[in-house]
Amino acid sequence: QVQLVESGGGLVQPGGSLRLSCTASGFTLDYSTIGWFRQAPGKEREGISYIRGRDSSTYYADSVKGRFTISRDKAKNTVYLQMNSLKPEDTAVYYCAQTSWLVVSLSSVRYQNWGQGTQVTVSS
């Protein structure tokens, strides 16, 4: 069955970096769009980036553009989110999610399969 497992979260100081991983099983990345989302306490889930399988095109929300980079390793069936210049407002649970490669959206309702999430805390 389709499964997504996130890892790489943790506690980091402002200005620091983390790399999140989303390891997929039960499907191949070539025919999927993988999105990264985050949800802070008391806030709605926010889509922050996606990467499309067929052409590796990417998209970033304004809140992370220039600081975060999404990439994938087909051999490992894994998508990464490199997060640099982290700010306290980046603190949230980060989720990866999967949908068809035809989807070009960060609307969470367009994604069918979700990982369990990984906590990222940015604090001094």
Side-chain angles (χ1 to χ4, degrees), residues 27-33 53-54 72 98-102:
F27 67 96
T28 61
L29 296 179
D30 278 348
Y31 296 97
S32 293
T33 292
R54 296 299 296 272
R72 64 174 184 159
Q98 179 264 345
T99 185
S100 165
W101 73 274
L102 295 171

Side-chain angles (χ1 to χ4, degrees), residues 24 63 95 124:
S63 57
Y95 302 87
S124 55

